Structures are given as C-alpha cells and as structure tokens.
Amino acid sequence: TAAAPPALASRTAAATPERAQLLQAELEKLRERMRAEATAEAEGEAEAEAEGAGAGFRLRAAPRGASEGLDWTELRSRVMEEEGEGGTYELCCYVDHEPTSTQVAMWRDKRRRRIVLAFRGTSDVMDVLTDVNLLQTPLEQRADGGRSDDERVVHAGFFASARAVNRRLKELLVAACVGTPGDWEVLVTGHSLGGALATLFAPEVARGVDASRGFKERADEPWFSSLV
C-alpha cells in the first residue's frame, strides 16, 4: 500500500491525539485479556466489551473464527508456523457491529510493521439480507440526506455494512500503528461478503488514513444552485 501523503498523515495524527491514545489503551486491554484467556478452558472464554466502543460495536478478544461453533485456532497456528522468519501476528481486536452483523478482525505483526484486516463473509440471516439488497446507491452520500449527484454507484447492502464500521476501523488502525499508519503495510482481505467489504474499504486507507471521517461525503449544493 502507498504511504500516506505527509500533509494527510500529519493532519490525521494532529486531529486525534487523545482519541489515538484511548484506542491504544483499548488494544492493550484486549491483548492482556487474550493472554489471560489463553490458559482458560475453551468453554469458559468470554467476550470482552471494550469501554467506549460506541453504539452497536463490540470488540471481542477471543481469537476464534467468526462463525459460531467453528474454531480456527489450529489452522491459525499452522499459518503462523509457515510465516517463519520471526514473523508473529497478534490479534489486536475483533470488531462486531451488531445492527449490520459486520465483523472484522485486525491482526498486527510489529516486527514487519504489517496490519491485516479480515472481513467475515456471509454467516447469518442478517448477512443474507445485506447480500440481497441489490439496489445501487451513490458512493458519495450527502450529509444532509439529500439526493447525491455522484454518478459512481455501489451495491447498497455492501455499502451500508462497510459504512457502519469505516471510521471505527480507521481509528483502531491508527492506534494499532501507533499513530503512523503511513509507515506500515496494510493488507485488507475478506471472503464472500467480506471480499466485497474489503474492496470498498481498501481504497479508504490506500493513500493515507483519515480517522476523522468515514466514507467521503458529497459537498452540499449551495442554495442558489436551484435558481440556475
């Protein structure tokens, strides 16, 4: 991924220093909980709600698959072994936006300065409803809810899910990168529905991470434009 332009990187870091510190503290709490749960019985592991996660969000610590009843721990261990070369990924957080059933895991390799964002695919009824919402909607929405004149359109269901976690993921990404996302490699991936969400989110962080907003919005038209 391309490094963030200096102007954007500086603006992002300067705009949210307190927020970045808070999110970094959240990540540290989650990692501490993960280490504690690693020695507990599988059935005794609990989900952790991060303080201040925001309405509809949960940050989960258990490093398991997103689908209920599936445990990917063994597969994960094999992948980590194949990585070799001292590369070690730690699970930073697992974001779960319950209203849209959008779930994303964030992994980090400090030595390689690499972040992996993995979006979960279709897994429940809510996801199916997202998939079949085939209407097309403008990529850049208007903040006032008015009709956007953006000719670029995207799948409405996919966009709603990606939009629900966009800003939150950027905030967590900045925190995971210790405030300098431009110095890190960011890999965005997903399967099925997750692949669509990854496709929408990747351009948002390809040229820099602006954690002050979600998807870019269309500028409001001046009042006198209706007179022309």
Side-chain angles (χ1 to χ4, degrees):
T1 56
L8 177 58
S10 299
R11 180 164 62 87
T12 302
T16 59
E18 296 84 2
R19 184 63 172 165
Q21 291 179 2
L22 175 61
L23 292 168
Q24 184 66 30
E26 288 182 12
L27 294 178
E28 291 300 330
K29 288 181 182 179
L30 286 168
R31 283 194 289 274
E32 286 295 330
R33 187 176 182 86
M34 286 166 54
R35 284 191 284 268
E37 290 183 349
T39 58
E41 294 295 330
E43 58 270 21
E45 292 182 348
E47 294 181 351
E49 280 200 23
E51 183 180 352
F57 285 101
R58 287 185 300 164
L59 298 184
R60 300 197 332 198
R64 299 189 178 280
S67 301
E68 295 296 331
L70 294 180
D71 185 352
W72 299 93
T73 304
E74 182 177 352
L75 177 59
R76 170 182 169 272
S77 298
R78 293 181 180 180
V79 171
M80 296 303 115
E81 290 175 1
E82 292 177 1
E83 276 288 308
E85 301 178 8
T88 302
Y89 284 95
E90 57 181 342
L91 178 61
C92 290
C93 60
Y94 188 88
V95 178
D96 182 359
H97 186 259
E98 293 182 315
T100 60
S101 188
T102 305
Q103 299 170 331
V104 196
M106 181 183 295
W107 298 83
R108 176 174 70 175
D109 184 338
K110 283 186 176 180
R111 190 186 70 81
R112 297 177 179 175
R113 302 180 74 81
R114 178 184 295 166
I115 297 287
V116 177
L117 288 170
F119 288 81
R120 177 181 61 74
T122 301
S123 181
D124 55 32
V125 174
M126 183 63 72
D127 295 330
V128 174
L129 295 178
T130 295
D131 293 336
V132 300
N133 186 4
L134 303 175
L135 297 176
Q136 300 292 292
T137 189
L139 178 60
E140 288 187 7
Q141 306 282 328
R142 284 182 53 176
D144 62 0
R147 184 174 181 179
S148 172
D149 62 352
D150 189 1
E151 297 181 354
R152 300 166 299 170
V153 293
V154 294
H155 185 286
F158 298 159
F159 184 73
S161 291
R163 191 179 188 184
V165 298
N166 186 306
R167 183 173 180 179
R168 181 60 173 162
L169 282 180
K170 289 177 181 176
E171 292 175 335
L172 290 167
L173 179 58
V174 170
C177 296
V178 200
T180 58
D183 297 335
W184 290 63
E185 179 183 13
V186 180
L187 306 179
V188 185
T189 186
H191 168 68
S192 183
L193 166 60
L197 302 184
T199 300
L200 287 170
F201 185 76
E204 289 286 296
V205 296
R207 294 175 179 264
V209 182
D210 187 351
S212 67
R213 64 168 177 81
F215 282 104
K216 183 180 177 181
E217 294 181 331
R218 205 69 167 174
D220 293 337
E221 297 178 357
W223 65 270
F224 52 80
S225 63
S226 60
L227 303 178
V228 179

